[in-house]
Amino acid sequence: MTTATNTIYLRPSLDFDPSQASNRNNLVAYSPDILPLYKTEIQDPDQLISSYGTFIAQSIVPEEQNLLYVRGAAKNAAAKASASIVIGSVTNELILWPQVLNAATNLGTTSLTYTPPKTKSSEPGVTASIDSLEFTPPGRGGRHDAFVAVSDGSFGKLKTAANYDDLLKTVGSPAGLSLLNAVIADPVFDVYSLSTRLRFFDDSDGPINLELDIEAIGIPTGFSVSIFSDNPAIVMAKTPVDTSTRIGFTVPVKDGLDTSITVQLYKGDGMTVPPDSSSISLVASVNKGSGHIVDTVILGAEHVVFDSAIRLARSIVKGELLGGSVQGFYFRDNINDTNVFPREGTASCSPDIQLLGHDPVQNIGQVLGPDQYKTDVASADGLGLEPGANNYIYLRGATTSATHIELSLYAIPNNLLITPDMYSANGITEMDINNNPVLAVRELNAPAAGTYTIDTPFNMANPKPVKTIDSNSDHYCLIAEWRQWASDPINKPYWPHQDVEIKTGSDFVNWILSNPAVAWRNMSWTSNPNAPTEMWQVNCAVPAAWGATDKGALAILCTNMPVGGTMQFESTATAGGTVLSIKQVAITNPNQTIGVQFTGLQGPWNTTVTVQWWQGSGPPRQFGSQLQMQIQRLVGSARFVLSFCLLLAITHDSACSALATQYRKRGKSIAQPDQANWPLVVGPDYPHLERRSPLGHSVGRKRPLLLGGAHALPLLPNSGTFDQSKTRVWVAPVDAVGLGGDGKGVGKDKLAAQPPAAQAPAPAADTPTTPGHHHHHHHNSQAHY
């Protein structure tokens, strides 16, 4: 690792201080300078140099080609240096004895060259190579690969160790050697298992007291861990994880020990996933010295670092490896796209997301039928999302074969940093039969290949002015997703956003262009001069016993409502082909009732109804005034109320309520694993490397951490900011993504606060219940008075 005047070194761990070289212990096996990066092709060494203070290794995927890189630092940043580094791999063991490392597979040699910069550098002395080593490991049967980097010519020639003192001398302290014994894991799990092998060599007479400990960084409270082995002395029952102390036990070991060990990390009930860069380590150490104070020396360690970006990396690579095409359903990113992935071009104007106005389209089969598949109807209409109104959005796509899927839609302000929980907070919702807001889900059962339009739209009702959510945003990003349909509501597959972590803006674009299950379209927000005074949504339902020949009506009932105002309602779903909609109707009677009759509907069935009321020229509502939606069964001239929901009431109890009959099918909310407090933000202020501890310990006893700053969590960026100039592809962790900047802009004059309720025109007077028609599903609402 040397030239005639300088030295290039690789760090044994993230907190290594080269000025304290005598404290070097390579057996920590946590080098941040040996860089397996899966299939990331580094084009600029600055990608590795600028992230020098971060652990950026990615998962090694067995039986696939993986790329490895190396970086390092010159001891003297003012002088040139160069080095040739040999990289080897070996199946993981807890203690990497020289006799283990001598059997490592030689993966190749890479060169590091350092030239002092002419200007001051933020990372003095750091250098990196963009020449990768290719590595295709076999399956390890539940174990993983550990890596050794050697620069002093000792690769495969290390002196055999007869005891742990030899180990420390031969492997632990040399500056020309570095180790990485870590696995990068998906944080989405119920139980995570790490398997390893423990061997021990010792030429002394008595047993050695070996400490086996678990150290955790950033793991949320509520997780627990256990250790078990085929050696009955090496066992630890399920124990709560404590990030402030080691938890473990001491076991006497002798020469010739050879055993397997499994560590299991258990997720607590309802716990959020571990945050990116959180970790858990298994550490083997011995106490050297006598008396009550001794030195604790690490002999070996294995680490699990959680990083959800591995799912993104694999999904993009999977798209690249498909041979150019995918089978099944797919969205388009541009009008002429086919099922060939990955794609190039614009990602943010999918023609398969169609905003078609403020009323459901009655002839949607013609407007977005197969003949219109190559036409972007929404672009021609030029509509924007309006507050105080229904905004009906249709999805369409194509499939290469028969398929059964379900779809969802999300609306996110363009300039916010996006994390998985934001999808839950910004999903297009509807009301279930208990009048709880749930994610709106549409179903497509396609019998054959072809193009399809989902005839039941999503209703983005009364969207907030986008600048009230984020002052730097000027439009919404609509994101459509699909997943395979499953009959069991408990075992449905993840939505695409739940199965990946987006880290940078370029990651998001790559994800869209490489994923047939996701589409993105930017939509502007516009003001609405005719916004209603009040607007709500509610669910209305009929039971399974309702037959296709039964006659019914969806009606709105006034009680002591002021004359002079207007009201309207609109259902997302049709009933037997009837659109359930009443447009602005004048309130001419305080106890007026108006509705839409329907037949041809087979139960069970439910829908979300949006209700709007304008004060108009009338007085404000008084105590005791209310609106109520009803589904009525019509028998001759009689009307029987099947279900109702109180929408608007000035009474002692203003809650929105619903009455379900004994025939009503109980609805189920869509399960959302996203957590409101995700990601868990954990600061980087962990203790420095502790080298001294009290003699002896038992499970549960508090004792200092050994790894300390060997691997710390990076600070998360501030919400609402994104520096595009620092974008990395799977390299520099940035725990969010900024969407947009390339949509339709809306001038500040159109983004003022929502205007006061307009004077509604006086529509037709009280109209008798008349036939009509409409669509299906549930939605979000609540009356606030």
Side-chain angles (χ1 to χ4, degrees), residues 615-746:
Q615 181 179 333
S617 60
R621 291 179 292 113
Q622 302 298 313
F623 183 86
S625 63
Q626 65 182 40
L627 288 174
Q628 187 181 101
M629 289 300 304
Q630 288 185 353
I631 289 185
Q632 303 169 341
R633 184 189 296 273
L634 308 181
V635 181
S637 60
R639 298 172 183 265
F640 299 91
V641 176
L642 183 68
S643 67
F644 72 88
C645 183
L646 187 64
L647 293 172
L648 167 63
I650 300 183
T651 61
H652 292 293
D653 182 4
S654 306
C656 181
S657 60
L659 179 66
T661 70
Q662 60 178 329
Y663 303 107
R664 184 184 295 180
K665 179 180 179 181
R666 184 172 180 82
K668 295 182 181 293
S669 298
I670 302 300
Q672 293 291 321
D674 302 337
Q675 303 294 320
N677 61 341
W678 198 101
L680 178 67
V681 178
V682 182
D685 299 322
Y686 294 97
H688 293 292
L689 187 65
E690 293 282 351
R691 298 186 59 79
R692 307 184 70 82
S693 66
L695 178 64
H697 66 275
S698 59
V699 174
R701 180 174 174 180
K702 291 277 186 177
R703 52 200 181 277
L705 298 172
L706 293 174
L707 296 174
H711 179 78
L713 291 182
L715 285 171
L716 297 182
N718 294 327
S719 178
T721 63
F722 179 72
D723 188 347
Q724 185 68 30
S725 67
K726 295 182 180 179
T727 296
R728 303 279 187 269
V729 179
W730 313 342
V731 178
V734 179
D735 293 84
V737 57
L739 301 187
D742 57 351
K744 297 179 181 179
V746 180

Side-chain angles (χ1 to χ4, degrees), residues 520-653:
W520 170 20
R521 183 166 191 149
N522 288 337
M523 293 301 305
S524 62
W525 183 91
T526 61
S527 59
N528 180 7
N530 190 39
T533 308
E534 303 284 355
M535 184 173 180
W536 318 267
Q537 287 186 312
V538 67
N539 179 272
C540 293
V542 301
W546 187 283
T549 59
D550 289 336
K551 296 181 179 180
L554 178 65
I556 187 169
L557 288 73
C558 298
T559 301
N560 296 324
M561 289 295 293
V563 173
T566 57
M567 61 183 176
Q568 74 175 36
F569 69 80
E570 192 167 62
S571 165
T572 305
T574 60
T578 300
V579 174
L580 303 179
S581 173
I582 293 293
K583 289 304 180 182
Q584 270 185 270
V585 173
I587 299 175
T588 59
N589 184 322
N591 299 308
Q592 181 174 330
T593 297
I594 190 170
V596 179
Q597 292 183 9
F598 61 87
T599 190
L601 175 67
Q602 179 61 55
W605 173 92
N606 67 88
T607 185
T608 294
V609 179
T610 304
V611 181
Q612 295 166 286
W613 172 75
W614 290 261
Q615 181 179 333
S617 60
R621 291 179 292 113
Q622 302 298 313
F623 183 86
S625 63
Q626 65 182 40
L627 288 174
Q628 187 181 101
M629 289 300 304
Q630 288 185 353
I631 289 185
Q632 303 169 341
R633 184 189 296 273
L634 308 181
V635 181
S637 60
R639 298 172 183 265
F640 299 91
V641 176
L642 183 68
S643 67
F644 72 88
C645 183
L646 187 64
L647 293 172
L648 167 63
I650 300 183
T651 61
H652 292 293
D653 182 4

Side-chain angles (χ1 to χ4, degrees), residues 77-101:
K80 293 182 178 180
S82 63
S84 293
I85 314 293
V86 181
I87 302 294
S89 70
V90 65
T91 305
N92 67 306
E93 296 195 22
L94 179 55
I95 300 177
L96 294 172
W97 296 89
Q99 38 269 63
V100 175
L101 297 176

Side-chain angles (χ1 to χ4, degrees), residues 60-337:
I60 287 290
V61 181
E63 300 178 356
E64 290 189 31
Q65 183 190 71
N66 295 261
L67 303 180
L68 286 88
Y69 299 83
V70 176
R71 63 184 173 188
K75 187 173 182 181
N76 179 3
K80 293 182 178 180
S82 63
S84 293
I85 314 293
V86 181
I87 302 294
S89 70
V90 65
T91 305
N92 67 306
E93 296 195 22
L94 179 55
I95 300 177
L96 294 172
W97 296 89
Q99 38 269 63
V100 175
L101 297 176
N102 284 338
T105 301
N106 188 331
L107 302 181
T109 301
T110 189
S111 297
L112 292 179
T113 302
Y114 173 73
T115 301
K118 295 180 180 180
T119 59
K120 186 177 180 181
S121 171
S122 60
E123 297 290 353
V126 179
T127 183
S129 174
I130 62 173
D131 295 328
S132 62
L133 298 177
E134 296 181 359
F135 174 47
T136 304
R140 300 295 187 189
R143 291 167 65 187
H144 63 89
D145 287 275
F147 298 94
V148 55
V150 178
S151 65
D152 55 11
S154 63
F155 185 87
K157 303 175 183 178
L158 297 172
K159 183 180 177 180
T160 298
N163 50 58
Y164 71 76
D165 284 324
D166 290 349
L167 170 70
L168 291 167
K169 183 183 301 183
T170 305
V171 178
S173 60
L177 188 146
S178 193
L179 302 171
L180 176 63
N181 196 1
V183 60
I184 315 303
D186 190 335
V188 179
F189 63 85
D190 292 318
V191 179
Y192 182 84
S193 295
L194 170 70
S195 296
T196 189
R197 180 182 183 184
L198 172 62
R199 287 193 272 181
F200 202 83
F201 302 95
D202 183 62
D203 58 0
S204 68
D205 295 332
I208 302 297
N209 287 324
L210 183 69
E211 295 188 4
L212 295 177
D213 294 302
I214 297 295
E215 289 196 22
I217 293 176
I219 300 297
T221 301
F223 283 65
S224 56
V225 64
S226 68
I227 299 174
F228 59 91
S229 168
D230 52 13
N231 185 319
I234 300 176
V235 63
M236 183 180 76
K238 194 173 178 181
T239 305
V241 171
D242 187 341
T243 57
S244 67
T245 182
R246 289 176 286 152
I247 54 175
F249 53 92
T250 301
V251 58
V253 297
K254 294 183 178 181
D255 182 57
L257 173 70
D258 188 351
T259 187
S260 62
I261 295 178
T262 299
V263 176
Q264 290 195 320
L265 180 64
Y266 306 87
K267 180 181 178 182
D269 294 338
M271 293 293 101
T272 184
V273 298
D276 281 353
S277 295
S278 62
S279 64
I280 189 163
S281 302
L282 174 64
V283 185
S285 62
V286 293
N287 291 318
K288 296 187 66 176
S290 60
H292 293 287
I293 300 297
V294 298
D295 284 327
T296 301
V297 180
I298 293 175
L299 300 185
E302 292 201 42
H303 318 278
V304 179
V305 181
F306 294 104
D307 187 351
S308 53
I310 66 174
R311 277 173 284 149
L312 172 64
R314 293 180 190 177
S315 67
I316 293 177
V317 169
K318 188 182 297 181
E320 294 173 345
L321 298 177
L322 285 173
S325 64
V326 300
Q327 299 301 310
F329 192 86
Y330 63 90
F331 288 123
R332 294 172 295 172
D333 301 310
N334 294 281
I335 198 71
N336 292 316
D337 283 343

